[in-house]
Amino acid sequence: MINLQPYTNPLYFAYLFVAFLPIMIALSHGVRLHRYETVVGLGFIILMFTGTKWHEGVALLVYLVIEWLVVTGYRRYRRAHNHTWVFVVAVLAAIAPLVIVKLTPLFSKSPSLLGFLGISYLTFKAVQMVMELRDGTIKSFTTWQFLRFLIFFPIISSGPIDRFRRFTKDAESVPSRAAYGDMVAKGVHNIFLGFLYKFILGYFFGTVMLPQVGRIALHHHGAFLGLSWALVVYMYVYSMYLFFDFAGYSLFAVGTSYLLGIQTPVNFNKPFASPNIKEFWNRWHMSLSFWFRDFVFMRVTFFMMKHKLVKNRIHLSQIAYLINFLVMGFWHGVTWYYIVYGLFHAGAIILNDSWLRFKKKHRQQLPHNRWTQALAVVITFNVVCFSFLIFSGFLNQLWFGPFR
Amino acid sequence: MEIKQTVLAILQELTGEDLSTHLDDDLFETALLDSMDTVQLLLELQDQLGITVPVSEFDRNAWNTPAKIISQAEALNA
């Protein structure tokens, strides 16, 4: 039985292109083939879950029913009422399947039956809808719009995370001929850049170099904290791999969306050129960090400010950062290194914020030129690479084994 | 007119700068405003002008200059 995991090899793009041809011809003539698009989308999703992966497909169906019940149930409730506790229950219900899947490895050797590729990303979308229903910025939607948003196939497995109102507007309109021409050009450019990133650079760093450097670094597991030069090299090689692999995937997902006339938000904007950590989070995995900014950070600060829970504004922002990045850490998975990664970034951004305040106060005394600018980029880059070493889980292996 | 003055006063409080001659500056690009300031701005609009802006309504691209913030506030007040 044929099984197609998204964007894993060049042949996948040949299938995409053949399937997309009628859609693209129609779009350039100002027509959207809604039915055909649905058939193509469902086809590619079904091919993700064929063969040994059939149980994940069943899990996806169960998941969609649960989320549909939660989100439409809350919509129905929200028409006439607006109690905070109902909102909280709806959010908890929407994240419950993901929480179960994330917690299962702590208690059992086999993964949860509820799990499937993409569950984290679908959960972001569902929770976002509950929050916007609460705010009144989403008032009504059809079951069809809900499903189309949740399982839009180019971004189903790993994002970027889109927003319901933005996505639906694109999906229900046809771009002008000139605008669509631009989108196709951008889409093709993204896909080819993605080839370079994921299949050449990501492959080189991740598949050619990383295992070798890792082996050498593991030889030093007896040293103090396992420190060695090989570990330093591992940190940089892993960081390059992580960036090119994920940025490459994201370029594929964005490029593919563009061919369908959907302007899925971009995920990366030269993150390693960031002069500080705050800026880094505006450039790295952007759709995730903006989601956390809008639906965790801002809501936490809004709540705390409104109810005057914390008087001091600086302390308030520090608490909000801590909550924000801790939740992000847990979202990656319930292991010590994901949680430490979250705490590390919370610490880094809190430090960064106090430095920015100091800088603002002493603007006259502090030098600012291209050398200080370059130094800032170098420092940020190294702090970020160190955080990725934590994130990689390699330290877990280096410190706690097993050793071969 | 009153809304414009109030918004500019709130922004001056938040950024420490008089923006009445910089109505089209991008406040996020110039790092004058961050998410924290934004939340404070929304709460001040509520307290001082009685305009309720839910967090979901806040789209950075539609709120990134003093002029846009003023026109958003005027639209929501109407």
Side-chain angles (χ1 to χ4, degrees):
Chain A
M1 185 73 189
I2 183 170
N3 181 287
L4 284 182
Q5 291 307 305
Y7 316 122
T8 40
N9 61 54
L11 195 60
Y12 185 81
F13 293 90
Y15 294 137
L16 276 188
F17 183 72
V18 172
F20 279 13
L21 211 51
I23 299 173
M24 292 172 67
I25 292 170
L27 272 178
S28 57
H29 288 82
V31 181
R32 206 178 252 291
L33 304 177
H34 288 285
R35 264 191 216 135
Y36 178 75
E37 279 182 12
T38 310
V39 172
V40 168
L42 285 178
F44 277 100
I45 290 172
I46 289 169
L47 288 170
M48 282 170 68
F49 297 111
T50 46
T52 54
K53 294 199 179 279
W54 67 271
H55 59 275
E56 283 194 33
V58 176
L60 170 64
L61 287 177
V62 172
Y63 177 86
L64 288 174
V65 172
I66 294 173
E67 297 297 336
W68 182 81
L69 287 171
V70 172
V71 180
T72 53
Y74 186 65
R75 179 192 62 188
R76 180 182 288 250
Y77 164 81
R78 188 63 187 78
R79 273 193 206 129
H81 313 276
N82 189 16
H83 284 105
T84 303
W85 71 269
V86 180
F87 165 68
V88 173
V89 169
V91 170
L92 291 176
I95 62 173
L98 179 67
V99 171
I100 293 170
V101 169
K102 292 279 180 186
L103 289 180
T104 300
L106 295 184
F107 305 105
S108 146
K109 282 207 168 70
S110 53
S112 166
L113 287 173
L114 280 174
F116 60 90
L117 181 67
I119 184 170
S120 317
Y121 290 91
L122 265 55
T123 303
F124 282 120
K125 295 185 181 181
V127 171
Q128 171 210 322
M129 289 189 73
V130 173
M131 295 211 182
E132 290 213 32
L133 283 166
R134 158 86 164 174
D135 277 0
T137 44
I138 296 177
K139 287 201 166 62
S140 63
F141 56 85
T142 62
T143 296
W144 161 239
Q145 285 174 323
F146 171 79
L147 287 175
R148 182 178 56 192
F149 172 60
L150 241 65
I151 60 170
F152 180 55
F153 89 92
I155 58 173
I156 192 173
S157 63
S158 310
I161 305 154
D162 209 343
R163 306 286 171 96
F164 177 79
R165 283 180 291 156
R166 204 215 64 73
F167 172 82
T168 303
K169 208 167 104 199
D170 276 8
E172 290 178 358
S173 62
V174 181
S176 74
R177 201 185 177 127
Y180 184 61
D182 281 349
M183 286 167 81
V184 171
K186 268 189 207 154
V188 172
H189 174 81
N190 275 356
I191 289 172
F192 276 88
L193 194 61
F195 285 144
L196 172 69
Y197 276 27
K198 191 171 165 69
F199 294 144
I200 298 175
L201 294 167
Y203 176 84
F204 173 72
F205 287 113
T207 309
V208 179
M209 285 193 71
L210 201 63
Q212 299 200 35
V213 181
R215 232 181 343 261
I216 300 168
L218 281 177
H219 279 311
H220 298 273
H221 69 82
F224 173 67
L225 289 178
L227 291 178
S228 66
W229 285 112
L231 184 63
V232 177
V233 177
Y234 187 93
M235 174 176 93
Y236 292 118
V237 172
Y238 178 80
S239 300
M240 288 302 114
Y241 155 70
L242 187 66
F243 170 70
F244 285 114
D245 187 74
F246 195 24
Y249 158 82
S250 300
L251 284 166
F252 290 152
V254 171
T256 307
S257 308
Y258 271 51
L259 298 183
L260 297 173
I262 305 282
Q263 308 204 44
T264 293
V266 299
N267 242 354
F268 293 91
N269 176 22
K270 305 193 186 80
F272 295 141
S274 315
N276 60 52
I277 291 292
K278 213 172 177 177
E279 183 60 23
F280 171 77
W281 282 107
N282 284 329
R283 293 157 168 263
W284 173 271
H285 203 175
M286 293 149 74
S287 68
L288 177 80
S289 69
F290 294 168
W291 193 96
F292 271 91
R293 179 192 73 199
D294 294 350
F295 295 104
V296 180
F297 184 87
M298 285 183 66
R299 270 156 223 271
V300 167
T301 45
F302 195 90
F303 183 83
M304 291 197 297
M305 265 191 207
K306 193 171 170 185
H307 297 275
K308 307 207 165 44
L309 295 181
V310 184
K311 292 274 154 54
N312 183 315
R313 213 188 96 110
I314 294 166
H315 291 164
L316 195 150
S317 76
Q318 292 168 339
I319 294 168
Y321 279 132
L322 207 58
I323 294 171
N324 190 71
F325 282 100
L326 206 55
V327 174
M328 197 193 270
F330 274 101
W331 168 74
H332 278 295
V334 187
T335 65
W336 72 263
Y337 45 88
Y338 290 142
I339 295 159
V340 171
Y341 169 77
L343 289 173
F344 180 85
H345 269 286
I349 209 162
I350 288 169
L351 257 177
N352 185 200
D353 242 17
S354 47
W355 163 248
L356 288 176
R357 275 194 304 276
F358 179 84
K359 214 171 104 175
K360 213 172 184 177
K361 250 190 227 155
H362 302 83
R363 223 179 308 184
Q364 311 307 329
Q365 295 99 305
L366 289 167
H368 182 85
N369 53 48
R370 69 185 142 125
W371 299 108
T372 61
Q373 194 73 5
L375 181 68
V377 172
V378 170
I379 293 173
T380 306
F381 174 71
N382 282 281
V383 169
V384 164
C385 288
F386 182 70
S387 78
F388 290 158
L389 179 66
I390 301 172
F391 178 82
S392 73
F394 187 71
L395 294 175
N396 190 53
Q397 205 190 340
L398 182 67
W399 292 345
F400 310 118
F403 307 107
R404 256 170 274 162
Chain B
M1 211 49 216
E2 186 213 340
I3 289 181
K4 183 174 176 180
Q5 299 310 335
T6 315
V7 169
L8 284 173
I10 296 171
L11 285 175
Q12 178 155 14
E13 180 83 3
L14 289 174
T15 62
E17 292 188 28
D18 177 15
L19 294 164
S20 51
T21 52
H22 298 273
L23 288 177
D24 293 312
D25 284 12
D26 189 321
L27 299 172
F28 295 106
E29 212 125 275
T30 50
L32 282 172
L33 277 194
D34 63 12
S35 324
M36 275 292 291
D37 302 316
T38 312
V39 172
Q40 211 162 351
L41 169 69
L42 300 185
L43 282 166
E44 293 296 332
L45 287 178
Q46 202 166 358
D47 287 351
Q48 297 188 25
L49 294 169
I51 302 170
T52 315
V53 191
V55 178
S56 302
E57 196 74 66
F58 181 85
D59 169 3
R60 272 194 187 212
N61 295 324
W63 290 78
N64 58 350
T65 68
K68 285 190 195 170
I69 295 171
I70 291 163
S71 69
Q72 288 280 4
E74 282 168 348
L76 286 163
N77 195 38

